Amino acid sequence: MIGVVVPAHNEEALLGRCLASVRVAAADPRLAGEAVHVVVALDRCNDRSADIAAAHGATGLVVCGGNVGSARDAGMRAAIVAGARWLASTDADSVVPPDWLWGQLACGGDAF
């Protein structure tokens, strides 16, 4: 399984677009149907970010770190516990390209 972590702090305006792009990348046929588990690390959110994450099928993980690094760390740990063999991360205000995950795996390294 591939784990994708998206740290977010009150990102309701852009999070849906980000998660939609991750879903497209997860559907790349070259991944051969490998599961992609998306964790949105909700760092002190008081907006609709959790609802948006759920609507996109992502796991919402509430954290109170107060910074993107600790939110990303918590999300990565949760993805590893869920069984991820590969970890990828993007910011909630980003849109990833359709070959984003495949491009990382194609490098064949232990880390990217």
Side-chain angles (χ1 to χ4, degrees), residues 3 12-13 16 18 20 23 28 42-43 47-49 60 63 72-75 78-79 86 99 105 107 109-110:
E12 70 181 352
C18 172
R23 186 172 45 242
D28 188 312
L42 301 157
D43 191 7
D47 66 354
R48 294 185 52 251
S49 292
V63 298
R72 195 178 316 273
D73 176 63
W86 184 266
D99 65 349
L105 294 174
C107 290
D110 289 334

Side-chain angles (χ1 to χ4, degrees), residues 1-3 34-35 37 76-87:
M1 181 225 324
I2 299 167
E34 183 169 358
H37 179 69
M76 295 272 183
R77 290 174 187 274
I80 290 168
V81 167
R85 70 171 185 93
W86 184 266
L87 297 171

Side-chain angles (χ1 to χ4, degrees), residues 30-92:
R30 294 171 291 184
L31 296 178
E34 183 169 358
V36 176
H37 179 69
V38 180
V39 177
V40 178
L42 301 157
D43 191 7
R44 300 177 307 147
C45 291
N46 57 17
D47 66 354
R48 294 185 52 251
S49 292
D51 296 333
I52 294 165
H56 284 270
T59 298
L61 175 67
V62 176
V63 298
C64 296
N67 68 70
V68 69
S70 62
R72 195 178 316 273
D73 176 63
M76 295 272 183
R77 290 174 187 274
I80 290 168
V81 167
R85 70 171 185 93
W86 184 266
L87 297 171
S89 184
T90 190
D91 293 326

